[in-house]
Amino acid sequence: MATPKSNQSRMYVPEPPFRPGDTPDYSHISVPTDHTPHRPDPMCDDHETVEHALKLIRVMRFNGETAGEWVPGLTPDVKRKMLKDMMLTRAMDDRMFAMQRQGKMSFYMKSRGEEAVSVGHAYALSDQDMVFPTYRQQGILIARGASMLEMMNQCLSNSGDPLQGKNIPVLYSFRKHGFFSISGNLGTQLIQAVGWGMAEAYKNEDGIASAFTGEGATAEGDFHYALNFASTYRAPCIINVVNNQWAISSFQGIAMGDGESFAARGTGYGLATLRVDGNDILAVYAATQWAAERARQGGGATVIEHFTYRAEGHSTSDDPSKYRPANESEVWPFGDPVERLKTHLVKIGEWDDEQHEAFAKEAKLFVRETYKQAEALGTVEHGPQLDDFTMFEQVYADPPELLLEQKEMFRKELG
């Protein structure tokens, strides 16, 4: 008699907990009330942060109070500026998304729900630090004082675009603001950032590198190459994994499997690891400040997992209703980053609803007027356009013969 086959040998494919039509329930996610773990010395041994890769660093309670060892000593003025930068980032996102829907640009990606990750991180870095971002860190540019007009021009690829249309919308490049050119292929910038940090150390400079990736790209080889080099050479860098639960339409379990956290991957490489509530901007600031101090003092790299949620679609080309419940973002247990900082400021008497509404209007007006200036320089639909021949320029210092031949052929085609 044949022995029946065991089901244990069958192919296993992780499935998201909820699908369209389901009622999302995040009761399985524990929201810590005691704001653990403790804050170790930034120069501690890497193994002393093992628990930090599995727990969650938080500062703000949902009622606006702060608690724990990670509370940063920020003034109310700085906190208000953080809130305004998040609101301004969101206002710009809303405007540019609407303009894409009107055919003014080809593509756009919003960062709604993740603004605390970029803005909080930026505030904890120094001007000489180089950021190697992904396409959802526009808040870093806002926080570092980048020109919104230039950002919009890059998205529109118009006559004012300093990149001359050589990158798709939202893949910004701002050397003057320490913002490395974004690559649409996530993961590639990780090893570049580690190399940049190693170069700074070689030159005895104080700058550190900060690289970003989504949780999905941690399954790429580049992520592991970066961690290996960062560990071996104690590169002064921060490796940020923004776990927003979705890599386009693939839920985070596809990249993590049955692992406990993405931060834990740094533990295996002998790196300091932190896992932080990515919707708590004060916690993001505190974790980044800790990692930056460690890197600058020669302690090497830190892996930070920002546990957050992508509140809207991956991009204007995506329809999240096809793969997740429509109200999933509304029941995310860690709330909205803008509302959480607002609640804190109101709690300490440094903000109120009237001020919030007034600045929301101010931000919306500023974004609208700035966009009018950008649109006057052209869109994909109408107005001034880039010189067609710029496609052949500023790529090679010495253009190869084939490129020159193509340029001449194009000139003849235009007559």
Side-chain angles (χ1 to χ4, degrees):
M1 182 175 177
T3 303
K5 293 183 178 179
S6 170
N7 290 334
Q8 294 180 356
S9 64
R10 291 183 179 178
M11 177 70 177
Y12 171 71
V13 178
E15 284 287 334
F18 320 114
R19 286 294 192 184
D22 294 341
T23 300
D25 178 7
Y26 283 107
S27 59
H28 64 286
I29 295 179
S30 175
V31 180
T33 58
D34 53 359
H35 295 71
T36 55
H38 74 287
R39 186 183 189 277
D41 186 285
M43 294 303 291
C44 68
D45 289 338
D46 61 270
H47 65 80
E48 295 181 49
T49 65
V50 171
E51 68 168 325
H52 298 72
L54 302 178
K55 295 184 178 180
L56 198 67
I57 298 168
R58 301 180 69 227
V59 169
M60 291 188 290
R61 299 183 187 274
F62 295 126
N63 65 0
E65 296 177 352
T66 58
E69 299 176 21
W70 292 87
V71 177
L74 297 174
T75 66
D77 285 342
V78 172
K79 293 176 183 177
R80 275 192 295 268
K81 182 65 167 56
M82 283 178 157
L83 178 63
K84 291 180 178 181
D85 284 345
M86 286 197 293
M87 294 173 69
L88 194 58
T89 301
R90 186 168 292 187
M92 177 183 168
D93 277 349
D94 288 343
R95 180 76 183 188
M96 300 305 279
F97 185 92
M99 294 302 98
Q100 192 278 336
R101 288 296 190 243
Q102 294 180 24
K104 302 296 180 66
M105 71 185 80
S106 60
F107 183 77
Y108 195 73
M109 305 180 81
K110 300 174 74 172
S111 62
R112 179 176 287 268
E114 300 178 40
E115 294 93 345
V117 173
S118 56
V119 174
H121 192 80
Y123 272 73
L125 297 179
S126 300
D127 290 341
Q128 75 266 30
D129 299 335
M130 179 66 78
V131 178
F132 292 73
T134 70
Y135 38 60
R136 237 179 285 279
Q137 274 78 59
Q138 49 264 52
I140 292 177
L141 285 172
I142 297 294
R144 285 191 158 187
S147 165
M148 185 177 290
L149 177 60
E150 286 189 34
M151 294 173 68
M152 290 180 171
N153 288 340
Q154 289 189 26
C155 288
L156 294 168
S157 297
N158 61 20
S159 59
D161 177 9
L163 302 184
Q164 298 183 334
K166 290 183 173 65
N167 221 340
I168 67 173
V170 306
L171 300 192
Y172 306 105
S173 179
F174 280 88
R175 182 176 182 177
K176 59 187 174 184
H177 295 294
F179 197 88
F180 198 83
S181 302
I182 299 175
S183 168
N185 303 311
L186 296 195
T188 60
Q189 68 273 35
L190 294 170
I191 190 64
Q192 296 165 359
V194 173
W196 192 94
M198 290 168 60
E200 284 290 283
Y202 179 78
K203 295 183 293 185
N204 292 318
E205 300 287 350
D206 292 329
I208 66 172
S210 183
F212 282 82
T213 189
E215 84 283 351
T218 62
E220 296 285 344
D222 292 294
F223 176 76
H224 297 277
Y225 304 150
L227 266 58
N228 189 39
F229 271 81
S231 174
T232 301
Y233 297 101
R234 292 189 181 180
C237 63
I238 305 172
I239 298 174
N240 301 276
V241 179
V242 183
N243 179 8
N244 64 14
Q245 313 305 310
W246 292 96
I248 309 182
S249 58
S250 296
F251 91 112
Q252 54 95 23
I254 296 295
M256 187 170 67
D258 291 328
E260 294 188 72
S261 76
F262 288 97
R265 296 185 173 180
T267 303
Y269 284 94
L271 295 172
T273 53
L274 304 175
R275 188 166 178 260
V276 62
D277 177 356
N279 288 23
D280 180 342
I281 193 169
L282 300 186
V284 170
Y285 174 91
T288 304
Q289 185 184 50
W290 186 96
E293 181 179 345
R294 179 180 179 86
R296 242 181 278 281
Q297 291 185 10
T302 300
V303 176
I304 302 179
E305 176 185 346
H306 301 267
F307 195 63
T308 182
Y309 187 85
R310 194 194 75 207
E312 298 197 16
H314 175 74
S315 71
T316 50
S317 301
D318 179 42
D319 180 5
S321 68
K322 300 295 185 182
Y323 54 84
R324 70 185 192 188
N327 68 327
E328 191 174 80
S329 64
E330 299 171 12
V331 298
W332 178 245
F334 296 96
D336 178 86
V338 172
E339 289 300 315
R340 286 183 63 184
L341 184 56
K342 173 195 171 186
T343 300
H344 168 66
L345 285 168
V346 171
K347 182 76 173 181
I348 63 175
E350 296 291 345
W351 197 247
D352 57 42
D353 290 337
E354 290 74 20
Q355 288 174 296
H356 195 81
E357 182 178 351
F359 185 76
K361 291 179 179 178
E362 179 183 333
K364 187 175 181 179
L365 177 61
F366 175 77
V367 170
R368 185 181 70 189
E369 293 304 311
T370 303
Y371 178 78
K372 287 181 180 179
Q373 297 177 51
E375 189 173 277
L377 297 173
T379 70
V380 295
E381 188 179 48
H382 62 77
Q385 300 292 320
L386 288 165
D387 183 341
D388 292 332
F389 287 91
T390 59
M391 76 173 87
F392 300 103
E393 301 168 357
Q394 296 188 11
V395 175
Y396 295 95
D398 299 305
E401 191 63 30
L402 180 60
L403 189 64
L404 295 175
E405 291 176 4
Q406 291 175 343
K407 183 177 182 179
E408 187 58 30
M409 288 173 60
F410 183 63
R411 189 189 309 280
K412 292 178 179 178
E413 289 179 6
L414 292 179

